[in-house]
Amino acid sequence: MHRLSNRSLSSVLRHGGSRYRNAAAPISSTSSLYETVAERDSKQRWYSVLTTGNRTAINSPTQINLKNDFFLRSRYESTAAASDSSATPPAEKYEYQAEVSRLMDLIVNSLYSNKEVFLRELISNASDALDKLRFLSVTEPQLLKDAADLDIRIQTDKDNGIITITDSGIGMTRQDLIDCLGTIAQSGTAKFLKALKDSKDAGGDNNLIGQFGVGFYSAFLVADRVVVSTKSPKSDKQYVWEGEANASAYTIREETDPENLIPRGTRLTLYLKRDDKGFAHPERIQKLVKNYSQFVSFPIYTWQEKGYTKEVEVDEDPTEAKKDEQDEKTEKKKKTKTVVEKYWDWDLTNETQPLWLRSPKDVTTEDYNEFYKKTFNEYLDPLASSHFTTEGEVEFRSILFVPAISPTGKDDLVNPKTKNIRLHVKRVFISDDFDGELFPRYLSFVKGVVDSNDLPLNVSREILQESRIVRIMRKRLVRKAFDMILGISLSENREDYEKFWENFGKFLKLGCIEDRENHKRIAPLLRFFSSQSDEELISLDEYVENMKPEQKNIYYIASDSLTSAKNTPFLEKLLEKDLEVLFLVDPIDEVAVQNLKSYKDKNFVDISKEDLDLGEKNEEKEKEIKQEFGQTCDWIKKHLGDKVASVQISNRLSASPCVLVSGKFGWSANMERLMKSQTMGDNSSLEYMRGRRVFEINPEHPIIKSLNAASRSNPNDEEALRAIDLLYDTALVSSGYTPDNPAQLGGKIYEMMGMALSGKWSTAANVQHPIVNQSKTETLEAEVVEPVNAGGDQK
């Protein structure tokens, strides 16, 4: 029992009995500031006693002090809760409200980006209705008594813009129409699957497609008005649901017209909008069915115009008839012509079966080839195919193909959206427009079909949402694609992989740049020419097998052509030692190999860069050469200045006097050439990356020995200095660089040629010159004395 303090009691007495009967006396805010915690606690408890003990004393609402009503109500609620368990006040629960017309507008105009998917959604609903009937008929065979055929039929009226879709499925009762079509986002299929899952005997009919409950409303993408006439085998009546695009209400009535009655199932009639009446053409409907619903498990028939040829008699011309009468001996033959008789009939549209649902053991190569040609509109058989099923954390089926030839458009190498992978969910086509979600860009040439039952799609089924499941699918698809390509490379017919490499080699090289995780799978598939195989491509495995026992690295040289690579001065010493060098003649080769870095613990080494290690070093000999030519190197460096970073003794030359090598971490001559040719090249980075060049000289060459002597005897000799300039310029060209001033280089060559040729044929020139003059003189004299000679002849 709570005790009341004297102060509290006196406060009550001051406010009078009427306030007491109203359950509590108001408390002024001024007095509450000076109350202690104990006083407030006792006062709260007192109010609790008064309110619980004297609530019956309130006889009229007029007794309540309206001025303090809000405060008293809040005080009462909090004290009551405190007296129970000191818990927070209970929250009131409200349901979301929606403006139906606005919600329908969002569903129709915001969920779907492509109008033509309406047919896919409606056919999927019809397929689900047939699947439900097939499942329920196992335990209730009487459901199939009205119509045994399970199919979907689509009929169009292009003149009036009407599309009719009829299925012989489970149909709907009046309540089903209210629950499924009248309730937005209420998926009848999802509800049916949940009921199956909760039941013990549910084997899980995973062929059902629907899951969001908004697919039906996609009909309003193209239709102003939709009429649904449906008959359930569980009901004796047929009902008609009718709704309009911008309406917030719909109507349901019983079908009474005998001509519109159907034995079982659902018939959707779409009255198309004025701008969308093109969908009512039979050819377009057939095309959409083949694109989106080709592999639905039930037959889909479309109403098509057909024709057959027949012979008909032709009326004779009167003039020809008279001639025939005059010529009695001539046999009369009835004249005919071939005409095409047209008629309308149902045409089976989805003839192609989902090949991926069959066991690979039961599918022949001819089946794969035929499926590939029909699905992707190809005329050549694929190079290889891979049919597999993945189970476990992610379950999906797939068939992948490697085309026989590369696409004609060159943009496919840089554009990942090639529409080569067709994604299906429960055999219904979803999309082929992916931005690298399922396959990386460098494998975009691979074509195939992927079918899964539980992919994370958005409501419109158009966007494959990023998730862990998608990443797992991507890894497995990429792995299978590599296994398929590896199978081609290991084929006994070497021409198959040569054909593949000719068409898709650049794609794999791009993979070296973009996909480091799969370097081990990509590297064995690469092919290059080499110094020992300049007519036939070799693999990296073949290169490693041919390596010398003491060889530690894989050597390569990048050039613009096979001819220039074979004749580069960088090869001279390696050819003497019989070391094989890879020729990288494709623009992407050098970047691809640099990203690989190594293969089977063998590093890739560019022989055109400084610090080339060829093994078998003779330190004593190198020391002697450096002592002998050290002054010459300094002399050449002083004259060339900033053109080169340093001048060194070369260990890679045997026949050439000099060569210009790039820095260890800079661009090679080939890379510099490629970067210069870029349309959006950055000149600042070009100057930075090409800044370090090393001028290497061959101490065994006569020119270098002559310059060595000149550096000691007369280092300021102009001819010697001009020779250094010419050596540098020629080294630029032979090493793959582009001279900054080609005209100046040409002038130097002409000057050297003049010096070399001057006086070489001077004696012959002097002899021939008088002969020319003498002949001219004799000719002149002959002309003068010619009359005398003539006179002499006359004597």
Side-chain angles (χ1 to χ4, degrees), residues 131-365:
D131 263 321
K132 293 176 189 177
L133 178 64
R134 184 170 59 180
F135 183 85
L136 295 175
S137 64
V138 176
T139 55
E140 302 177 61
Q142 67 275 10
L143 296 177
L144 295 174
K145 63 179 181 179
D146 295 327
D149 294 336
L150 302 179
D151 55 23
I152 302 170
R153 297 180 182 269
I154 306 174
Q155 191 171 7
T156 59
D157 182 357
K158 64 180 180 180
D159 296 330
N160 298 316
I162 300 174
I163 299 177
T164 304
I165 304 173
T166 306
D167 68 78
S168 56
I170 190 64
M172 288 178 282
T173 61
R174 183 187 184 91
Q175 189 60 39
D176 291 337
L177 286 173
I178 297 173
D179 294 340
C180 297
L181 302 188
T183 306
I184 300 175
Q186 169 78 19
S187 174
T189 300
K191 187 176 180 181
F192 182 74
L193 286 174
K194 186 177 184 301
L196 292 180
K197 188 176 180 180
D198 295 339
S199 64
K200 295 182 179 179
D201 58 344
D205 191 355
N206 57 1
N207 290 329
L208 296 173
I209 302 167
Q211 59 183 135
F212 297 111
V214 295
F216 167 76
Y217 306 105
S218 64
F220 292 108
L221 285 169
V222 296
D224 280 327
R225 184 165 62 98
V226 177
V227 177
V228 180
S229 182
T230 181
K231 169 70 168 58
S232 173
K234 297 182 179 180
S235 174
D236 297 332
K237 297 180 180 180
Q238 179 174 330
Y239 294 96
V240 178
W241 181 99
E242 185 172 348
E244 296 183 357
N246 297 320
S248 59
Y250 59 91
T251 62
I252 297 178
R253 59 181 174 83
E254 183 180 345
E255 183 62 78
T256 56
D257 188 353
E259 295 182 357
N260 295 329
L261 294 179
I262 55 178
R264 183 192 67 238
T266 302
R267 181 174 61 235
L268 274 73
T269 305
L270 279 63
Y271 296 88
L272 302 180
K273 301 175 183 178
R274 178 183 301 177
D275 296 339
D276 297 316
K277 288 188 177 181
F279 285 104
H281 286 268
E283 296 82 5
R284 188 168 186 183
I285 289 294
Q286 188 178 47
K287 182 179 178 181
L288 292 178
V289 171
K290 287 185 176 181
N291 186 37
Y292 289 100
S293 306
Q294 176 77 5
F295 305 108
V296 170
S297 56
F298 297 97
I300 302 175
Y301 296 93
T302 56
W303 190 247
Q304 299 291 332
E305 186 180 21
K306 299 183 178 182
Y308 65 91
T309 59
K310 67 176 184 178
E311 298 289 333
V312 295
E313 295 182 3
V314 181
D315 295 336
E316 293 183 357
D317 191 6
T319 57
E320 294 182 358
K322 291 181 180 179
K323 292 181 180 179
D324 293 339
E325 291 177 359
Q326 294 175 359
D327 191 2
E328 298 178 354
K329 297 181 180 180
T330 304
E331 295 182 1
K332 290 185 178 181
K333 293 183 179 180
K334 294 182 180 180
K335 293 185 178 181
T336 60
K337 68 176 182 179
T338 303
V339 296
V340 178
E341 190 76 17
K342 294 184 177 181
Y343 65 99
W344 288 85
D345 196 4
W346 293 107
D347 182 62
L348 180 62
T349 305
N350 57 337
E351 294 179 342
T352 306
Q353 298 300 317
L355 202 65
W356 61 85
L357 297 179
R358 296 165 55 183
S359 173
K361 298 179 181 179
D362 302 332
V363 184
T364 63
T365 304

Side-chain angles (χ1 to χ4, degrees), residues 340-492:
V340 178
E341 190 76 17
K342 294 184 177 181
Y343 65 99
W344 288 85
D345 196 4
W346 293 107
D347 182 62
L348 180 62
T349 305
N350 57 337
E351 294 179 342
T352 306
Q353 298 300 317
L355 202 65
W356 61 85
L357 297 179
R358 296 165 55 183
S359 173
K361 298 179 181 179
D362 302 332
V363 184
T364 63
T365 304
E366 290 74 17
D367 294 335
Y368 287 124
N369 295 342
E370 183 181 359
F371 176 83
Y372 169 76
K373 292 177 181 178
K374 286 186 176 180
T375 305
F376 299 101
N377 296 322
E378 294 284 349
Y379 61 93
L380 294 177
D381 293 337
L383 284 178
S385 62
S386 178
H387 183 186
F388 59 93
T389 301
T390 301
E391 297 179 350
E393 190 174 6
V394 179
E395 297 184 3
F396 64 92
R397 298 171 180 267
S398 179
I399 301 179
L400 302 179
F401 299 95
V402 174
I405 58 174
S406 61
T408 55
K410 298 300 181 183
D411 294 337
D412 290 335
L413 185 61
V414 295
N415 181 16
K417 296 184 178 181
T418 55
K419 299 184 181 297
N420 286 339
I421 299 298
R422 296 177 58 86
L423 176 65
H424 291 71
V425 172
K426 299 179 181 178
R427 305 172 315 281
V428 175
F429 173 69
I430 299 300
S431 178
D432 57 3
D433 188 8
F434 300 109
D435 192 7
E437 290 93 345
L438 292 179
F439 265 100
R441 180 172 66 161
Y442 67 92
L443 287 178
S444 59
F445 65 90
V446 177
K447 297 186 177 184
V449 176
V450 179
D451 188 8
S452 178
N453 292 341
D454 49 359
L455 281 180
L457 301 170
N458 67 341
V459 179
S460 65
R461 303 175 188 266
E462 297 172 357
I463 302 174
L464 186 62
Q465 297 173 342
E466 179 64 23
S467 70
R468 186 174 56 87
I469 295 177
V470 177
R471 291 193 295 270
I472 295 174
M473 285 186 63
R474 175 189 169 107
K475 286 183 178 180
R476 295 184 181 178
L477 288 171
V478 169
R479 190 181 308 157
K480 290 294 184 179
F482 277 123
D483 292 343
M484 181 172 52
I485 299 173
L486 184 62
I488 303 175
S489 67
L490 299 177
S491 173
E492 296 180 357

Side-chain angles (χ1 to χ4, degrees), residues 700-764:
E700 303 295 333
H701 199 277
I703 296 178
I704 302 301
K705 290 181 179 181
S706 299
L707 290 176
N708 186 37
S711 67
R712 296 177 184 277
S713 60
N714 191 3
N716 296 324
D717 184 72
E718 293 184 0
E719 292 185 3
L721 296 178
R722 284 199 301 268
I724 293 175
D725 291 334
L726 187 58
L727 275 177
Y728 174 78
D729 290 336
T730 53
L732 274 175
V733 177
S734 63
S735 302
Y737 293 99
T738 303
D740 295 331
N741 192 345
Q744 185 180 8
L745 173 60
K748 292 178 182 179
I749 295 175
Y750 298 150
E751 182 183 356
M752 294 297 292
M753 289 177 65
M755 293 172 60
L757 297 178
S758 62
K760 187 172 183 179
W761 297 284
S762 59
T763 305

